[in-house]
């Protein structure tokens, strides 16, 4: 990650510290505002219209006062390179960029040279045919069949493989490649995970549309159709791209043409904001153990508008607050004195 000095960041009065004081303050301010608004209502026959969040399609502002702009959309990130070569160079080859890739000779790290791996009474065979990578393994009916690898998932210390099984479903294979010891291994050894077990790769618990892809792509939508029981999932790009952290960039690109007076140069968030929560909650969307409340999220909204983070339980955290296996950093970091003093992820990463 690039390191930069905080320059001219504005603060928003949204700090999580001292909640009671802030609540009281907010109540007083709100009361005062209502009083003022009430007086205004009597004095003015026609109140001025407030700034619209999105412009009405017919409204034509007289001259460049671009306060109101349509919600930004995701763009092709190849365009960022021309003007931000330093950031693009830092990001190229990062685990963020490589978090999910098309399966091909450059991206697949596992050994697919006709090798067999046996575990949990199931045999999985890895092979290549032309440019494609194949596994032969028991499917949902317990019978061995050929499945083509669609995507690589993760980069180190292990790599997993996603398999497309029809109806838009991507499933995460339970046999993974250990990139350090260079060997195949089972993710749930000794638990008797055969095709009848809920942890089997063919089961809903290993469905990547629902369980995985959101954090390994940019601009993901599950698009689950409950009536048809199918997925039509979409993403803007594979891997964690610029817009996964900065948010959709279409308004920014427009701004680079006109250079008007646009807040955060067209982005919905300023990750350099003095209030560290803005950045920390951007990372926490993926670096926290949490359940999604809907399909996707909105950059600039608070974390808990879109997600329900897990609480610190004995099963997930060590007694001193350190994470156990797949828990991610956010929950522990919130307990630290660093967080309390305004330290943020990008101070170290
Ligand atoms: C035509 C040139 C151009 C292109 C293309 C461009 N930017 Fe920028 N960007 C700028 C300029 C100029 C600034 C302002 C730099 C400054 O203030 O130091 C900027 C600022 C930014 C900032 C900082 C915003 C802030 O609030 O301080 C981010 C983040 C950013 N760009 C991301 C992107 C991303 C992501 C893309 C690709 C989708 C992109 N830019 C494409 C020119 C460009
Ligand atoms: C869209 C989801 C997403 C967001 C947002 C995100 N990350 Fe990540 N991050 C990931 C994933 C997925 C990986 C692991 C990629 C892999 O190993 O294939 C990762 C890996 C990392 C790593 C380890 C990378 C390495 O090279 O060893 C660090 C450190 C990290 N992220 C920090 C951050 C910080 C700091 C932020 C916020 C500024 C952030 N991430 C935002 C998904 C995300
Ligand atoms: C909440 C966001 C999130 C979800 C959901 C998610 N991942 Fe990740 N994944 C990450 C992050 C963040 C990392 C980086 C490692 C870390 O933080 O310890 C990562 C890393 C990985 C890695 C690289 C190895 C490693 O441990 O670093 C693999 C493989 C992986 N994830 C597979 C999956 C699979 C399979 C699923 C679905 C069953 C999944 N992930 C769901 C965020 C997520
Ligand atoms: C993992 C999250 C993450 C990703 C991915 C990411 N950024 Fe950033 N970026 C940040 C954070 C956090 C900051 C502010 C803190 C800092 O400066 O380090 C930032 C700052 C910036 C700035 C402002 C620098 C300045 O000094 O004003 C630009 C420009 C930028 N990023 C462009 C990009 C581009 C282009 C990409 C894609 C190639 C990208 N970023 C990918 C998190 C991210
Ligand atoms: C005070 C410095 C500091 C801060 C602040 C910090 N980290 Fe870290 N982080 C570290 C160190 C040191 C490691 C361990 C590196 C290692 O063991 O190789 C680490 C490890 C990680 C890893 C695992 C990398 C890997 O290779 O497995 C991720 C992901 C990560 N941090 C994300 C975050 C996020 C997200 C935040 C903000 C919520 C954050 N960190 C805040 C210092 C920091």
């Amino acid at each position: 990650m690039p390191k930069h000095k905080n320059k001219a960041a504005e603060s928003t009065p949204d700090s999580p510290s001292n909640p009671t004081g802030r609540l009281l303050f907010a109540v007083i301010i709100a009361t005062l505002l209502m009083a003022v608004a009430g007086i205004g209502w009597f004095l003015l026959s026609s109140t001025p219209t407030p700034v619209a969040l999105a412009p009405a399609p017919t409204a034509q502002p007289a001259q460049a006062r671009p306060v109101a702009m349509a919600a930004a959309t995701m763009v092709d990130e190849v365009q960022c390179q021309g003007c931000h070569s330093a950031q693009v160079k830092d990001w190229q080859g990062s685990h963020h960029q490589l978090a999910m890739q098309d399966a091909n000779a450059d991206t697949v790290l596992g050994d697919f040279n006709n090798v067999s791996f046996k575990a949990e009474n199931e045999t999985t065979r890895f092979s290549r045919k032309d440019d494609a990578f194949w596994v032969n393994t028991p499917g949902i009916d317990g019978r061995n069949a050929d499945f083509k690898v669609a995507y690589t998932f993760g980069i180190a210390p292990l790599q997993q493989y996603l398999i497309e099984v029809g109806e838009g479903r991507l499933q995460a294979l339970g046999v993974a490649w250990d990139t350090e010891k260079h060997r195949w291994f089972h993710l749930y050894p000794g638990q008797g995970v055969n095709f009848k077990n809920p942890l089997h790769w063919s089961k809903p618990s290993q469905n990547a549309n629902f369980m995985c892809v959101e954090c390994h792509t940019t601009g993901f939508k599950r698009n689950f159709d409950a009536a048809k029981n199918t997925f039509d999932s979409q993403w803007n790009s594979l891997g964690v791209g610029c817009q996964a952290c900065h948010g959709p960039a279409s308004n920014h690109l427009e701004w680079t043409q006109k250079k008007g007076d646009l807040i955060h140069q067209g982005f919905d968030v300023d990750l350099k904001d003095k209030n560290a929560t803005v950045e920390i909650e951007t990372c926490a969307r993926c670096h926290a153990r949490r359940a999604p409340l809907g399909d996707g999220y909105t950059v600039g909204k608070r974390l808990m508008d879109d997600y329900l983070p897990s609480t610190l339980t004995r099963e997930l955290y060590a007694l001193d607050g350190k994470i156990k296996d797949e828990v991610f950093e956010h929950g522990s970091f919130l307990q630290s004195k660093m967080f309390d003093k305004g330290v943020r992820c990008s101070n170290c990463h």
Side-chain angles (χ1 to χ4, degrees):
M1 281 254 315
K3 289 269 161 358
H4 307 285
K5 276 200 127 83
N6 288 0
K7 50 174 158 157
E10 317 137 76
S11 87
T12 46
D14 202 19
S15 150
S17 60
N18 189 11
T20 18
R22 286 199 184 271
L23 184 64
L24 192 64
F25 182 70
V27 169
I28 294 169
I29 290 289
T31 317
L32 284 174
L33 280 176
M34 281 191 307
V36 172
I39 295 163
W41 191 262
F42 279 111
L43 293 181
L44 299 170
S45 47
S46 71
T47 42
T49 26
V51 175
L53 286 177
T58 46
Q60 282 292 338
Q63 258 311 313
R65 276 201 64 219
V67 218
M69 269 208 121
T73 51
M74 293 264 170
V75 302
D76 185 347
E77 294 182 1
V78 172
Q79 304 168 78
C80 317
Q81 180 133 24
C83 304
H84 299 293
S85 55
Q87 281 84 7
V88 172
K89 224 167 127 221
D90 279 349
W91 174 79
Q92 291 278 357
S94 68
H95 286 194
H96 279 145
Q97 187 204 0
L98 306 175
M100 178 171 171
Q101 305 174 84
D102 283 315
N104 62 48
D106 294 329
T107 60
V108 172
L109 303 173
D111 183 358
F112 279 75
N113 293 312
N114 297 318
V115 298
S116 288
F117 173 79
K118 231 180 141 175
E120 313 297 295
N121 290 325
E122 291 192 341
T123 301
T124 303
R125 192 166 176 76
F126 297 89
S127 63
R128 296 180 63 164
K129 215 175 340 177
D130 305 324
D131 290 339
F133 293 77
W134 291 81
V135 290
N136 181 281
T137 196
I140 196 158
D141 56 2
R143 275 196 284 256
N144 269 65
D146 286 329
F147 299 96
K148 191 176 153 191
V149 175
Y151 301 100
T152 67
F153 220 67
I155 191 81
L158 60 122
Q159 186 171 63
Q160 282 188 256
Y161 300 96
L162 300 191
I163 286 168
E164 217 168 330
V165 295
E167 301 181 315
R169 277 186 168 65
L170 290 167
Q171 297 289 132
L173 195 66
V175 181
W177 180 252
D178 182 329
T179 61
E180 280 159 8
K181 296 191 185 123
H182 303 283
R183 60 177 180 92
W184 293 106
F185 70 103
H186 201 285
L187 288 172
Y188 310 104
Q191 296 183 36
V193 177
N194 64 10
F195 73 101
K196 291 182 188 148
N197 187 297
L199 289 176
H200 195 252
W201 75 274
S202 58
K203 296 287 197 235
S205 80
Q206 306 302 318
N207 172 260
N209 312 64
F210 189 68
M211 298 294 294
C212 315
V213 182
E214 178 179 15
C215 296
H216 288 246
T217 53
T218 304
F220 183 68
K221 279 266 179 262
R222 271 182 205 95
N223 294 336
F224 178 62
D225 185 329
K228 294 198 208 125
N229 194 19
T230 58
F231 286 95
D232 180 23
S233 298
Q234 322 231 312
W235 47 75
N236 186 64
S237 60
L238 295 176
V240 181
C242 320
Q243 295 167 100
C245 292
H246 290 288
S250 64
N251 285 346
H252 176 62
L253 291 183
E254 234 174 83
W255 170 84
T256 63
Q257 303 300 312
K258 299 194 210 109
K259 291 277 167 69
D261 174 25
L262 200 54
I263 189 166
H264 311 327
Q265 283 132 17
F267 286 104
D268 290 332
V269 287
D270 176 7
L271 294 180
K272 296 182 265 97
D273 197 306
K274 263 208 298 245
N275 177 358
T277 303
V278 174
E279 179 193 307
I280 291 169
E281 293 199 349
T282 298
C283 313
R285 182 164 74 78
C286 303
H287 287 277
R289 172 101 159 204
R290 84 288 182 284
L293 297 173
D295 191 357
Y297 78 106
T298 311
V299 172
K301 282 217 267 174
R302 295 298 303 265
L303 180 70
M304 289 211 264
D305 288 342
D306 298 312
Y307 299 101
L308 187 64
S310 304
T311 49
L312 273 69
T313 62
R314 197 178 269 278
E315 289 73 35
L316 298 178
Y317 291 86
L319 285 179
D320 64 358
K322 279 205 206 84
I323 51 180
K324 291 183 181 171
D325 42 66
E326 274 232 333
V327 168
F328 309 128
E329 299 73 20
H330 181 245
S332 292
F333 190 66
L334 287 194
Q335 316 304 314
S336 72
K337 288 198 173 138
M338 290 187 287
F339 171 73
D340 199 39
K341 298 272 186 254
V343 172
R344 54 177 75 198
C345 315
S346 65
N347 288 147
C348 304
H349 291 290

